[in-house]
Amino acid sequence: MPDTLDSIRDRLLAAQRIVLTTHIRPDGDALGSEIALGRWLRGMGKAVYCLNADPEPKPLRWLMDEQPKKLVRVYDPGALSHAELIAEADLRVVVDTNAEHRMGDVGRAFRAAADAGKPVLLLDHHPDAETWFTEAHTDTGSAATGEIIYDLIAGHDPSGIDRAIATALYVAIMTDTGSFRFGATTPRTHAIISDLLARGDFRPEPIHIALYDGKTHSALRLLGLALGTIRTHYGGRLASMTISQETLRASGADFEETEGLVQYPLSLEGVVSAVIFLETLNGIKISFRSKGDCPINKWAGRFGGGGHPNASGAYVTGKTLEHVRKEVLDAAPPHVAAPPEDLADADDNGELSDEQRQLLMAFQGKLS
Ligand code: 5GP
Ligand code: MN
């Protein structure tokens, strides 16, 4: 039996019109993978478009500005041209997510195509893929979907990796590995990065600056307020952070500037798992993170979400922030693997002292 990656490559090479998509609120791996695959296929003379439910976040705007116009577009469910592109393509390909609802409106259109017998392929590294794809290549051993796209392209002809493709794949792999620090990072990850740097002739530093050093005052003000909401639970193995609409308003930050905040509760000594509760206008967005051998995707699954063993998410509607927070924290013990003697002592023990709180208030006052 041929390898699924070889078989998907063969299908791509045999197609003429191809539409790619990825998940809502696309991140570096989502867009980097899409752009690399899209540009490689265009280089092979194919008509390729990426149609996404959401636009890129601000830190990735520079990457989009470097792409040919119209390679990546935000899907408009009312636009006949977009519906036609999806329905009439020879192939539809999903990267970096494996669930219809994670693709927003594009998911519905891709699913409808699959239901009508038209091929929809999957290239992804998340576990538990939905079963409606015509053909799926899932490699949960890849730290990023970008590694899979690299294998797909390099397995055909590594000289096809030009500067634009190398840059997009670097962004994909660097962001999904937390700058090469997360547990999924392997020797293969570094071997791929080495090859990308050699072939692409690009410099990593400007990419890191563009991605991580473009914060606004509002984002830092939000960080100040958010740090004050950190609590620890279950003997300090779990830490939580809570961001209400009121906190967001008080900081003046955009919702997308909450990206990365969950790393702060996770950075506390002794913490193995962290969770952040973000109150949006329509519901509560929860991000789960963990270090080492502490899988939290089943925990996210209990709230209708999912993801990787060390990075998962869920979105809960129809309940208040406090209600969701209590339910999720109460459900934590089997997933954060707390020693049994600590479970009785589930109270928060990470309260700031009055003195610390005053320092924090003074700090926030200076920023505003
Ligand atoms: P984040 O917390 O950064 O939004 O997401 C972390 C990971 O969790 C993502 O890479 C994705 O795999 C997964 N994820 C986030 N939100 C959801 C969700 O609502 N449903 C599912 N199934 N997975 C999610
Ligand atoms: Mn990914």
Side-chain angles (χ1 to χ4, degrees), residues 23 27 29-30 96 124-126 143-146 172 176 308:
H23 56 81
D27 57 12
D29 191 27
D96 201 39
D124 184 39
H125 66 139
H126 295 86
T145 300
D176 247 32
H308 307 278

Side-chain angles (χ1 to χ4, degrees), residues 50-357:
C50 307
L51 291 178
N52 297 337
D54 289 324
E56 75 282 359
K58 207 174 86 197
L60 285 167
R61 205 156 289 161
W62 64 273
L63 180 66
M64 310 313 284
D65 288 345
E66 291 183 357
Q67 307 313 318
K69 254 173 79 178
K70 299 193 173 170
L71 174 64
V72 185
R73 302 189 226 178
V74 175
Y75 177 68
D76 174 358
L80 198 58
S81 58
H82 287 186
E84 276 171 1
L85 275 177
I86 293 176
E88 289 171 13
D90 302 323
L91 276 182
R92 285 137 292 266
V93 186
V94 178
V95 299
D96 201 39
T97 181
N98 59 25
E100 179 187 342
H101 79 277
R102 296 270 301 146
M103 302 165 213
D105 287 330
V106 185
R108 263 182 289 282
F110 271 41
R111 181 64 182 267
D115 289 346
K118 299 172 185 175
V120 182
L121 312 183
L122 174 69
L123 293 164
D124 184 39
H125 66 139
H126 295 86
D128 309 320
E130 289 179 352
T131 54
W132 53 276
F133 300 99
T134 315
E135 193 163 3
H137 178 76
T138 295
D139 178 13
T140 55
S142 285
T145 300
E147 292 189 4
I148 298 168
I149 305 298
Y150 171 89
D151 283 347
L152 189 146
I153 299 173
H156 178 73
D157 178 2
S159 71
I161 298 172
D162 61 12
R163 183 179 189 153
I165 292 174
T167 303
L169 290 179
Y170 181 87
V171 168
I173 298 168
M174 186 269 281
T175 54
D176 247 32
T177 56
S179 300
F180 315 110
R181 57 165 286 195
F182 295 154
T185 310
T186 61
R188 181 173 145 248
T189 307
H190 285 282
I192 291 173
I193 291 297
S194 167
D195 193 46
L196 293 176
L197 284 167
R199 290 183 190 282
D201 188 30
F202 63 90
R203 292 195 305 127
E205 193 194 17
I207 296 180
H208 285 253
I209 292 173
L211 280 169
Y212 299 116
D213 297 345
K215 293 200 175 60
T216 62
H217 279 279
S218 307
L220 290 185
R221 205 153 39 228
L222 175 64
L223 171 61
L225 294 170
L227 291 176
T229 71
I230 293 179
R231 299 287 180 277
T232 55
H233 318 267
Y234 303 111
R237 294 175 64 81
L238 169 64
S240 66
M241 182 182 257
T242 309
I243 306 209
S244 63
Q245 277 293 307
E246 198 185 322
T247 309
L248 263 185
R249 266 195 298 274
S251 68
D254 294 338
F255 186 78
E256 69 177 44
E257 292 178 304
T258 61
E259 186 72 37
L261 287 178
V262 68
Q263 286 304 320
Y264 288 91
L266 194 63
S267 71
L268 270 172
E269 184 179 16
V271 161
V272 294
S273 165
V275 59
I276 182 169
F277 302 95
L278 299 163
E279 187 181 31
T280 75
L281 293 175
N282 308 313
I284 313 301
K285 163 95 181 87
I286 316 164
S287 287
F288 302 80
R289 296 289 187 276
S290 67
K291 297 182 242 189
D293 185 20
C294 177
I296 35 74
N297 43 345
K298 297 278 181 295
W299 184 16
R302 289 185 56 173
F303 299 91
H308 307 278
N310 293 121
S312 292
Y315 194 82
V316 179
T317 54
K319 292 179 179 169
T320 65
L321 179 60
E322 267 320 302
H323 189 154
V324 172
R325 188 173 179 279
K326 182 169 184 338
E327 278 190 354
V328 170
L329 293 176
D330 285 350
H335 308 285
V336 303
E341 66 270 21
D342 289 339
L343 294 183
D345 172 29
D347 283 349
D348 292 351
N349 60 0
E351 291 283 348
L352 296 173
S353 67
D354 284 344
E355 193 188 354
Q356 286 170 321
R357 198 173 293 283

Side-chain angles (χ1 to χ4, degrees), residues 36-50:
L37 183 58
R39 290 193 71 138
W40 179 66
L41 290 168
R42 277 195 176 185
M44 306 293 249
K46 299 170 191 310
V48 184
Y49 296 101
C50 307

